[in-house]
Amino acid sequence: MLKKRNIYIAIFFVSLIGLAVIQYQYLRIGLNLAKLQFNTKLGNVSSDIAKGLETENQLTFLIGNALKEDTSYFTNRIDSVQEASRYFLNDYITEKLVTNGIDTDFTYTLHSKDSSFYLQSPKRFEINDNVESYPIELIGYLPREFEKKVVLELQFKNLNSFFLSKLNGLTLPSILFILGICIAVIWVLRTYYWQRNVITTTNEFINNLTHELKTPVFSIGLATKILEESALNEQKPILGMIRQQVKRLTVHIDKVLELGNLESSNNVLKLEIIDFRPYLFKLCEEFATLVAIEEVQFIYDLQQENFRIKAEVFHLENTINNILDNAKKYSARPIIKLKAYSLNNQFIIEIIDNGKGISEEEKKKIFLKYYRVTDTEVQSVKGYGLGLSYVKKVIEKHKGKVLIESEKGKGSKVSLKIPLYNE
Ligand code: ADP
């Protein structure tokens, strides 16, 4: 059980790490794709700008004069002309970038190859900013005017964070969903541990209480016996009733304690290699005698061969008795059949009754400790819901299986399968 849980927890963590790695890889692919898309868009921007600045127009003429520091055409001072061309070029580039779907901050420098003149954008990045440059070589009017190569260099800052901001629609939900899974699993684990704690404490309490009940019950039994010796004849039936009830109480107490014992983690069954046939035969004979006085038909059929298994007789006998008891308890006019045989290396015991049957839904729950079917008819039958839980625990410790086939109103068949022992 503990091992299984650790395996599931390990699977969860491995899956979580795997999911995070895959998300990271997707993010990297997304970033590369965004970069590629950006470069394509920038290619379009470059050719748009180069084309726009190729011919002589108001903008190129203004830039040309500003660079040449020629104010013959304008009435303003040269720095006003330069300032104006700086802003106009900035607006022109912004417009080209935006129409191509790029809306990030940029700066530019317009300069000749030998840097003998240049024009800079009004805005500048800090020196330690992570900047990427994209040069556009201009053709036509401006290089012709200066008889030099003229380059317009566009600079973009922190492109990776820009791309990430574009991918935020994917990264943020992924991180949130992974976080959601973690929170849900932690909550489930916490609830699980809390419930396990409650179950353990409750079981311990019940076991302690039952154990404490043993002494007074024993004392009442002893006192009744002593009283019976000197009791008057009319008192004897009452004392007999007390003794009978004390006996019933003792059986119940023993049942609870046996199951508690079986559940404690340090309890290992003392399995021995035995032929179970004689024990089973004796058990059937005893049950047949016991029920002969009641209105119960009991038929048993044991295959004529050894049933060599590794078992602890005491618990296995209790198990079969519990199932036979149920078959009797939950049938109005019980006809009970017990069959034992070996098949495919398995020792199989089938106990069939003609009782009330169990619905499909209840079948899943009846092996739970303290669970009883909540129909009024069954409620009138005494029990604590411990029998089948005990049966399951014992059979599991014998490496076997318990199967129930049943139809409501028609009867049930409980099969126990235990592996046969082979040398
Ligand atoms: P108990 O008999 O003390 O209630 P069990 O663990 O033996 O506890 O059984 C659990 C429930 O399963 C019972 O309350 C009963 O409703 C149902 N059950 C068990 N065996 C049979 C059967 N042979 N036929 C019908 N119902 C059964």
Side-chain angles (χ1 to χ4, degrees):
M1 184 70 186
L2 190 83
K3 251 188 189 167
K4 235 184 193 173
R5 198 177 60 236
N6 287 346
I7 290 172
Y8 281 125
I9 293 176
I11 290 176
F12 166 69
F13 278 112
V14 170
S15 310
L16 200 67
I17 293 168
L19 206 64
V21 170
I22 289 172
Q23 289 299 325
Y24 174 71
Q25 294 297 353
Y26 272 137
L27 196 68
R28 273 187 45 187
I29 293 170
L31 272 180
N32 285 340
L33 283 177
K35 218 170 211 168
L36 211 71
Q37 202 184 25
F38 182 81
N39 284 341
T40 318
K41 282 178 182 171
L42 209 67
N44 296 340
V45 172
S46 301
S47 59
D48 274 7
I49 290 177
K51 215 178 268 171
L53 300 180
E54 188 179 350
T55 51
E56 182 182 346
N57 53 35
Q58 281 177 335
L59 181 63
T60 47
F61 182 72
L62 181 70
I63 295 169
N65 281 298
L67 290 174
K68 278 190 271 178
E69 300 187 358
D70 178 1
T71 49
S72 54
Y73 194 79
F74 304 100
T75 49
N76 310 45
R77 283 173 39 210
I78 185 62
D79 36 345
S80 307
V81 174
Q82 282 176 339
E83 196 68 9
S85 45
R86 226 191 283 262
Y87 277 99
F88 283 136
L89 183 57
N90 197 70
D91 287 352
Y92 177 72
I93 297 169
T94 309
E95 194 251 332
K96 292 290 170 204
L97 285 172
V98 170
T99 45
N100 280 285
I102 300 174
D103 54 353
T104 180
D105 278 355
F106 72 95
T107 60
Y108 70 83
T109 319
L110 182 70
H111 59 86
S112 62
K113 259 284 191 267
D114 57 5
S115 298
S116 56
F117 59 85
Y118 68 92
L119 196 71
Q120 275 185 334
S121 55
K123 187 180 165 186
R124 303 301 304 160
F125 291 138
E126 305 284 321
I127 302 166
N128 44 7
D129 276 342
N130 181 12
V131 171
E132 276 187 53
S133 293
Y134 290 85
I136 307 167
E137 193 175 326
L138 299 183
I139 45 169
Y141 174 73
L142 285 170
R144 216 168 37 236
E145 278 291 292
F146 293 96
E147 292 170 346
K148 275 177 191 161
K149 276 189 173 180
V150 179
V151 176
L152 173 68
E153 204 169 304
L154 296 182
Q155 286 120 5
F156 298 94
K157 183 177 81 167
N158 294 336
L159 273 181
N160 271 347
S161 27
F162 168 65
F163 297 143
L164 268 178
S165 73
K166 293 270 161 202
L167 290 173
N168 259 355
L170 296 176
T171 39
L172 222 81
S174 314
I175 292 169
L176 284 180
F177 286 140
I178 291 178
L179 239 126
I181 295 173
C182 288
I183 291 170
V185 170
I186 288 169
W187 183 80
V188 169
L189 280 177
R190 265 191 53 175
T191 319
Y192 168 79
Y193 283 114
W194 179 78
Q195 273 188 351
R196 209 181 56 154
N197 244 345
V198 171
I199 291 171
T200 319
T201 343
T202 317
N203 283 348
E204 271 173 15
F205 168 73
I206 291 171
N207 287 348
N208 288 344
L209 183 78
T210 323
H211 199 81
E212 285 305 310
L213 285 177
K214 266 191 113 160
T215 325
V217 168
F218 177 75
S219 308
I220 295 171
L222 199 70
T224 321
K225 229 181 195 169
I226 297 166
L227 273 178
E228 253 181 342
E229 282 168 16
S230 56
L232 302 172
N233 269 352
E234 61 262 35
Q235 290 170 332
K236 276 198 175 146
I238 302 169
L239 287 170
M241 213 161 73
I242 298 177
R243 223 172 30 156
Q244 203 188 356
Q245 294 305 320
V246 166
K247 209 168 159 191
R248 272 187 66 186
L249 204 55
T250 314
V251 172
H252 291 322
I253 288 173
D254 285 345
K255 257 191 183 173
V256 176
L257 287 181
E258 263 164 31
L259 188 57
N261 229 351
L262 208 65
E263 275 174 345
S264 73
S265 50
N266 47 14
N267 180 290
V268 186
L269 290 197
K270 293 176 205 79
L271 300 178
E272 287 173 310
I273 304 155
I274 46 148
D275 171 16
F276 192 64
R277 196 180 187 284
Y279 296 100
L280 186 59
F281 185 71
K282 194 163 155 253
L283 186 150
C284 289
E285 273 193 325
E286 276 173 11
F287 187 74
T289 350
L290 201 78
V291 295
I293 37 169
E294 303 174 48
E295 257 184 50
V296 177
Q297 270 193 55
F298 178 56
I299 307 151
Y300 56 99
D301 171 20
L302 313 185
Q303 204 176 42
Q304 287 298 337
E305 63 178 81
N306 287 349
F307 299 135
R308 263 170 80 76
I309 51 171
K310 261 183 116 175
E312 186 171 331
V313 176
F314 172 74
H315 286 295
L316 202 54
E317 278 181 347
N318 278 350
T319 295
I320 298 161
N321 272 327
N322 274 346
I323 301 169
L324 286 172
D325 237 28
N326 279 351
K328 192 178 80 171
K329 274 197 310 192
Y330 299 108
S331 311
R333 287 176 187 282
I335 303 175
I336 306 167
K337 292 178 195 145
L338 184 147
K339 264 167 69 177
Y341 56 94
S342 53
L343 184 76
N344 298 334
N345 230 1
Q346 301 258 11
F347 166 46
I348 301 168
I349 306 176
E350 291 172 356
I351 295 164
I352 304 154
D353 67 54
N354 60 337
K356 295 179 192 343
I358 307 154
S359 67
E360 275 306 308
E361 212 173 299
E362 299 290 355
K363 249 197 251 176
K364 293 171 207 150
K365 303 181 198 160
I366 52 175
F367 290 103
L368 298 174
K369 202 173 174 186
Y370 309 123
Y371 185 82
R372 304 203 71 213
V373 176
T374 49
D375 78 48
T376 44
E377 264 183 290
V378 175
Q379 283 298 304
S380 61
V381 182
K382 297 277 177 293
Y384 296 104
L386 288 174
L388 287 181
S389 150
Y390 175 79
V391 168
K392 190 156 185 259
K393 290 240 155 59
V394 172
I395 296 301
E396 272 172 1
K397 292 208 174 197
H398 283 79
K399 297 194 169 47
K401 274 187 197 147
V402 190
L403 302 172
I404 292 199
E405 290 161 56
S406 185
E407 205 177 318
K408 197 96 185 123
K410 294 223 167 129
S412 317
K413 174 166 133 185
V414 183
S415 314
L416 305 181
K417 294 186 179 180
I418 296 172
L420 282 172
Y421 180 78
N422 294 315
E423 240 90 9

